[in-house]
Amino acid sequence: QVQLVESGGGLVQPGGSLRLSCAASRSVFSINAMSWYRQAPGKEREWLATVASGGVTNYEDSVKGRFIISRDSAKNTVYLQMNSLKAEDTAVYFCRAMVLSTIYWGQGTQVTVSS
């Protein structure tokens, strides 16, 4: 079992930055991969970035160069640093953990990019 708690969402102006956090209830090294997804109103949930247990990271093309996924193993926490935010980044952002073949989701945190 893994419990995930996201935080750090909020309202930000276009061009601004936010850092989202996802605190896991167990060591990140015991989780095969942790990822960030987002879901905008009326759209499907989309994958953004993943960090594997070995530290390798991957990004969806539209956020590559703007978003950075990282982790703090001492805090069992994964972060998503989001820079140069745009109105189209407005969505609920979710953290996902994969342990073997089992998927766990956090409750989501709202990010709104607006002036």
Side-chain angles (χ1 to χ4, degrees):
Q1 279 276 0
V2 182
Q3 282 77 48
L4 302 170
V5 179
E6 299 102 330
S7 60
L11 174 64
V12 63
Q13 292 188 341
S17 298
L18 275 179
R19 188 178 79 159
L20 306 182
S21 301
C22 173
S25 60
R26 58 192 279 183
S27 169
V28 295
F29 294 127
S30 70
I31 299 171
N32 298 103
M34 291 190 72
S35 303
W36 285 98
Y37 284 71
R38 69 185 177 191
Q39 188 166 19
K43 294 189 176 181
E44 301 216 342
R45 193 170 295 189
E46 64 171 339
W47 169 74
L48 300 175
T50 296
V51 56
S53 58
V56 175
T57 58
N58 284 288
Y59 297 89
E60 197 273 331
D61 285 346
S62 71
V63 303
K64 201 175 294 184
R66 294 194 301 129
F67 292 6
I68 301 170
I69 190 170
S70 62
R71 65 185 182 186
D72 184 335
S73 57
K75 296 181 179 179
N76 295 337
T77 298
V78 172
Y79 303 99
L80 185 68
Q81 176 67 43
M82 306 187 294
N83 302 316
S84 302
L85 285 163
K86 308 172 185 178
E88 51 263 44
D89 293 317
T90 295
V92 178
Y93 284 68
F94 296 91
C95 179
R96 188 188 93 153
M98 183 174 72
V99 180
L100 298 179
S101 59
T102 302
I103 302 298
Y104 302 91
W105 291 95
Q107 82 288 352
T109 184
Q110 175 71 45
V111 172
T112 302
V113 184
S114 175
S115 55

